[in-house]
Amino acid sequence: MKLKLLLLFLLINAFFGYSQNQKIDSLKVVLSKSKNEVERASTLNHLADEYKTVGDYKKMLESAEKALEVSQKINFKLGKGYAYLNIGNASIVSGDYPSAFKSFSSASSLFEDELELNKNNSDVKKGLANSYGNIGIVFSEQSNYPKALHYYLKSVGIYEEFKDDAKCAKLYNNIGIAYESQSINSKALEYFTKAQKIQEKLNDPNVGITLTNIANSYLKQKEYDTAFDFYIKAKRSFVQNPNPRALGEWYNNFGLFFKHTGNNLKAIENWNQAIQSFKSIDDKFGVSDTYLHLGRLYYEQKKYALAENEAFKVLKLAQELDVMEHEMLAEKLLSDVYTKQNNAAQSLLHFRRYSELKDSLINKENTRKSVEAELNFEFEKKEALHKKELEKKELLIKEQSKRSEMQLIFAILLAILLFGIGFLIYNRIQLKKTLTLQKELAEYEQKALHLQMNPHFVFNCLGSISSFIVNNGKESAIKYLAMFSKLMRLTLEYSKESLIPIDKEIESLQNYLELEQLRFNHKFNFSITKSSTIEDDMALPTLLLQPFVENAVIHGVIPKKEMGTIAIHFTIEKESLLCTVEDNGIGFQQSQLVKENSVVVHKSMALDITKKRLEMITSSTNQKAYFTIEELKNNNQINGTKVVLHLPIQYIT
């Protein structure tokens, strides 16, 4: 009980003023030279703080009331807020908690309103934290610990933002006491420990009190070894920072530790030392509290005479101090002692006194609670109205924010849409350009390959003419040249085109084969046919088939002794144009061997060029273009070669 009151006094000091280092005389000089009312109000608030530090609470209240008067005159809200804080602190010291409560509530309302207008004002935030902390103290004094916790946590949240470790440490202690009072020991321990770490870092002389609180928490959780360690740490702190009142409380708690652990002698020893510590500062309340501990222990040990003696000591001090609670407890202890001693008359007498005191305390408590209830009602009503106003403001801000967000979202979506459309158009244009370029590139590459094909064909024809002149004479050479010129005219006519109709390709092949027939003295026959399913405007690349026909003549049927035949057929199969060149020559493998063993070896480019042309056709049409070569056999005898060219169906249009 006494420890709680001691801590409460220490924690009240956490919320006083904001310039304690200035002296009262210098502040009076500043006050006399104040040039405006704002400076005057601020100086009066500083002065109230300094009067508090020297314990002159009457002058503290006078200065705070003057600061409030000046601030109200000029509507200086920050000055009014701090004036209410100082008035509230003065009311706490005098024990007028209802007045303190009203002052702190007024201060918090002012600071909250100011914070709505200026969220970054540090003085307003600190004033609000101060208000919340003091409201928490008032609720704690009324034993309304849930509400006390609510305001303590709001206060410490602001001080944590400012990294004010000293204020945070004292608030952590307050929070710990509130949790401990609700028997939530684990949470109490958590906050006491946080306070301890900060106090040790700051070398706070009150760290011994916090260590004692931690030890008490471990004692309630029956973790006796840990509790013992913290009691010892607390004692070392009190040795370094003498505090007789706090040391007396430490002895009382350490005595309770030994009582819980069954060492009654040590308990009595510590309580006797507590009495000495309290008497050194004439703390009769502390002495009375310790006598109660001793009396209860003696009663439990059935040492009724000693218990009676201690109870009378408590009774005497309680009547002297007018502490009704101690007086009631002493009467109850005496009644119990006399009951055990079979002294019914004395037991009844003291029980009646105990009952009367208990009723008086209950009536007093009920009166206090009714005042508190009325006060709480007014406060909650005011808080509810304030909350409603804040909710309206928040709703308005949210609506404005929502509207702005929607406008921003629509603007972003519109921008994205416009960008997307622009990007799509640009992409389509670029894609069209790319496809056009790719198509043109494929066509140019095909034309380049076609131009490579023409010299090869011309070279072979001129070679044939030369051979024909040598072997057949002038007249036949002239006839051959006439046929060659016709073929060249057709070739030149379509050399500029990437595609020619199939009929024109057949005409070119017809001329070429007639030339070769003439050249080789009709050593082979040929036929060219096409399927009825082939349309008139169906086309294929120029001179694509010529190399395969040439190979059929030169490397197929000519090396053969018997009469040769060459059959060319055009048909459609599975959406592809099939061009088949079939001969009854010596076969593909045999012709390769003949070429390798030939004395005159030249590099043939026709098939390589044709392969490249087919690759380009595949790339430009996205359809496969390829050829297959197959040797024809009958009873394991090679009867010729069959070349099938697979082309995508294309049209002149």
Side-chain angles (χ1 to χ4, degrees):
M1 182 193 305
K2 183 64 172 64
L3 179 60
K4 177 182 171 183
L5 292 172
L6 172 65
L7 285 172
L8 188 60
F9 174 79
L10 290 170
L11 295 168
I12 288 170
N13 292 334
F15 305 104
F16 287 166
Y18 49 85
S19 61
Q20 297 178 1
N21 296 326
Q22 293 184 349
K23 300 294 181 181
I24 292 174
D25 291 341
S26 62
L27 282 171
K28 287 181 178 179
V29 172
V30 172
L31 183 63
S32 64
K33 296 180 179 180
S34 297
K35 297 178 182 179
N36 55 62
E37 297 296 344
V38 171
E39 184 180 350
R40 179 175 171 78
S42 299
T43 306
L44 283 167
N45 274 323
H46 279 72
L47 195 58
D49 291 336
E50 290 305 318
Y51 279 128
K52 179 263 302 178
T53 60
V54 298
D56 193 340
Y57 298 109
K58 184 178 179 181
K59 288 187 177 180
M60 174 189 177
L61 183 60
E62 289 176 0
S63 297
E65 287 175 342
K66 287 180 182 178
L68 179 62
E69 183 181 349
V70 173
S71 298
Q72 286 175 332
K73 182 179 177 182
I74 59 174
N75 197 26
F76 177 32
K77 291 186 178 180
L78 194 63
K80 284 195 286 185
Y82 278 104
Y84 278 127
L85 284 176
N86 284 319
I87 292 169
N89 285 323
S91 300
I92 282 183
V93 172
S94 65
D96 188 355
Y97 287 98
S99 296
F101 195 73
K102 288 180 180 178
S103 297
F104 294 142
S105 300
S106 298
S108 67
S109 296
L110 282 167
F111 289 128
E112 284 170 349
D113 290 340
E114 280 296 290
L115 198 61
E116 283 293 316
L117 300 174
N118 189 354
K119 293 185 179 298
N120 297 318
N121 191 318
S122 58
D123 287 335
V124 172
K125 284 186 176 181
K126 289 177 182 178
L128 186 59
N130 201 325
S131 303
Y132 287 153
N134 281 309
I135 290 172
I137 288 174
V138 175
F139 276 126
S140 182
E141 176 60 23
Q142 295 173 352
S143 300
N144 191 341
Y145 298 111
K147 277 196 174 181
L149 268 174
H150 173 71
Y151 283 95
Y152 285 151
L153 291 169
K154 287 175 73 172
S155 177
V156 80
I158 299 173
Y159 283 124
E160 284 175 342
E161 181 184 336
F162 285 104
K163 297 181 180 179
D164 190 334
D165 289 342
K167 295 282 197 310
C168 286
K170 292 173 182 178
L171 272 164
Y172 290 150
N173 253 321
N174 275 16
I175 293 168
I177 291 170
Y179 276 123
E180 190 176 56
S181 299
Q182 297 176 85
S183 299
I184 309 174
N185 295 315
S186 59
K187 293 295 289 184
L189 184 59
E190 176 187 336
Y191 280 94
F192 287 144
T193 303
K194 287 171 77 171
Q196 172 211 349
K197 289 178 180 177
I198 294 174
Q199 288 177 325
E200 287 177 345
K201 176 183 173 183
L202 299 176
N203 293 318
D204 192 322
N206 293 319
V207 68
I209 296 173
T210 304
L211 289 167
T212 304
N213 286 337
I214 294 172
N216 292 341
S217 292
Y218 280 118
L219 178 61
K220 288 178 181 178
Q221 296 178 53
K222 297 184 180 180
E223 296 184 28
Y224 298 121
D225 292 340
T226 308
F228 182 82
D229 291 340
F230 276 97
Y231 280 127
I232 298 304
K233 288 180 184 178
K235 179 65 177 298
R236 292 196 198 107
S237 176
F238 290 133
V239 170
Q240 293 175 359
N241 305 287
N243 185 334
R245 182 176 284 105
L247 182 61
E249 283 301 324
W250 180 86
Y251 279 125
N252 269 344
N253 284 289
F254 204 35
L256 289 171
F257 168 82
F258 284 116
K259 181 182 178 183
H260 279 87
T261 54
N263 193 337
N264 292 331
L265 289 176
K266 277 285 186 181
I268 293 169
E269 179 184 330
N270 276 279
W271 286 332
N272 285 329
Q273 288 179 311
I275 291 169
Q276 292 177 16
S277 184
F278 286 132
K279 284 184 175 180
S280 70
I281 55 171
D282 196 28
D283 186 350
K284 294 179 181 179
F285 186 95
V287 173
S288 175
D289 211 25
T290 310
Y291 285 154
L292 270 174
H293 290 314
L294 284 167
R296 286 168 179 159
L297 178 61
Y298 288 140
Y299 177 79
E300 290 170 8
Q301 292 178 321
K302 299 182 180 180
K303 297 178 180 180
Y304 300 123
L306 292 175
E308 180 185 4
N309 185 45
E310 298 300 327
F312 274 117
K313 290 179 183 179
V314 174
L315 190 60
K316 181 180 178 182
L317 286 172
Q319 289 171 346
E320 183 179 337
L321 296 170
D322 194 23
V323 179
M324 193 179 296
E325 185 178 0
H326 276 193
E327 189 177 353
M328 178 192 71
L329 293 172
E331 293 289 359
K332 179 67 169 64
L333 181 58
L334 285 170
S335 175
D336 292 341
V337 167
Y338 286 128
T339 299
K340 294 294 182 181
Q341 292 176 339
N342 297 319
N343 190 338
Q346 286 296 319
S347 175
L348 181 61
L349 174 65
H350 288 287
F351 185 79
R352 284 176 179 171
R353 290 177 181 174
Y354 159 73
S355 298
E356 290 170 0
L357 289 166
K358 184 179 179 181
D359 290 342
S360 297
L361 277 173
I362 290 172
N363 291 334
K364 186 177 180 181
E365 182 67 15
N366 288 338
T367 302
R368 186 177 74 90
K369 283 184 177 180
S370 64
V371 173
E372 289 174 0
E374 184 179 349
L375 190 63
N376 286 341
F377 174 76
E378 291 297 326
F379 175 76
E380 287 172 0
K381 183 179 177 182
K382 184 179 178 182
E383 194 176 47
L385 289 172
H386 185 67
K387 186 178 180 181
K388 194 171 182 180
E389 289 176 4
L390 289 176
E391 285 175 351
K392 286 181 180 179
K393 289 180 182 178
E394 286 177 4
L395 186 61
L396 182 61
I397 292 170
K398 283 181 180 178
E399 286 297 324
Q400 291 174 344
S401 176
K402 188 176 180 181
R403 192 179 299 112
S404 299
E405 285 178 3
M406 291 301 293
Q407 289 173 347
L408 180 62
I409 289 169
F410 282 129
I412 292 171
L413 288 175
L414 181 61
I416 291 172
L417 182 61
L418 292 174
F419 176 79
I421 293 171
F423 179 77
L424 184 61
I425 294 171
Y426 173 78
N427 195 45
R428 287 179 65 86
I429 292 171
Q430 292 301 111
L431 181 61
K432 188 176 180 180
K433 286 181 180 179
T434 302
L435 292 174
T436 303
L437 288 172
Q438 286 177 348
K439 184 178 179 182
E440 289 176 355
L441 179 62
E443 289 177 355
Y444 285 130
E445 286 181 346
Q446 283 196 35
K447 286 181 180 180
L449 292 169
H450 174 65
L451 291 174
Q452 283 185 296
M453 187 73 245
N454 283 338
H456 176 76
F457 173 68
V458 171
F459 176 78
N460 286 342
C461 285
L462 289 175
S464 297
I465 293 169
S466 175
S467 175
F468 194 80
I469 291 172
V470 171
N471 295 320
N472 297 291
K474 184 178 179 181
E475 185 179 346
S476 298
I478 291 171
K479 184 179 179 182
Y480 192 96
L481 280 171
M483 294 179 69
F484 174 68
S485 65
K486 181 182 178 183
L487 180 62
M488 288 303 297
R489 187 176 68 252
L490 289 171
T491 302
L492 290 171
E493 184 181 345
Y494 292 106
S495 64
K496 296 178 182 179
E497 304 296 333
S498 58
L499 296 172
I500 62 169
I502 290 176
D503 289 342
K504 293 297 181 181
E505 178 70 7
I506 291 172
E507 185 180 354
S508 295
L509 292 173
Q510 180 87 21
N511 281 322
Y512 169 74
L513 287 169
E514 286 176 357
L515 275 171
E516 294 293 58
Q517 269 185 333
L518 189 59
R519 175 186 172 192
F520 292 110
N521 296 317
H522 295 278
K523 196 175 179 180
F524 67 90
N525 294 317
F526 71 89
S527 65
I528 304 175
T529 59
K530 71 170 184 176
S531 171
S532 60
T533 58
I534 295 176
E535 300 174 32
D536 292 340
D537 60 347
M538 197 171 290
L540 76 166
T542 59
L543 290 175
L544 190 63
L545 211 57
Q546 194 272 342
F548 298 106
V549 176
E550 181 182 347
N551 281 339
V553 174
I554 304 299
H555 304 295
V557 298
I558 297 304
K560 189 175 180 179
K561 295 178 181 180
E562 296 83 3
M563 187 68 177
T565 59
I566 296 173
I568 301 171
H569 184 62
F570 296 91
T571 186
I572 293 175
E573 183 180 303
K574 295 182 180 178
E575 298 183 356
S576 293
L577 175 63
L578 269 59
C579 307
T580 305
V581 179
E582 187 176 334
D583 66 71
N584 65 343
I586 63 174
F588 180 73
Q589 291 183 355
Q590 185 64 30
S591 68
Q592 292 292 101
L593 290 173
V594 171
K595 287 170 64 177
E596 290 174 4
N597 296 326
S598 176
V599 176
V600 181
V601 179
H602 69 278
K603 184 178 181 181
S604 176
M605 299 182 294
L607 286 181
D608 289 339
I609 292 172
T610 301
K611 286 179 181 178
K612 289 182 180 178
R613 293 183 73 186
L614 292 173
E615 288 175 4
M616 293 308 304
I617 292 169
T618 300
S619 176
S620 62
T621 63
N622 290 321
Q623 296 182 50
K624 285 187 178 182
Y626 63 96
F627 66 87
T628 60
I629 300 176
E630 176 188 357
E631 284 192 327
L632 302 175
K633 294 181 181 180
N634 187 12
N635 297 325
N636 292 326
Q637 293 292 323
I638 297 174
N639 292 330
T641 304
K642 181 179 179 181
V643 177
V644 181
L645 189 61
H646 298 258
L647 298 173
I649 295 175
Q650 299 181 81
Y651 296 90
I652 289 297
T653 54

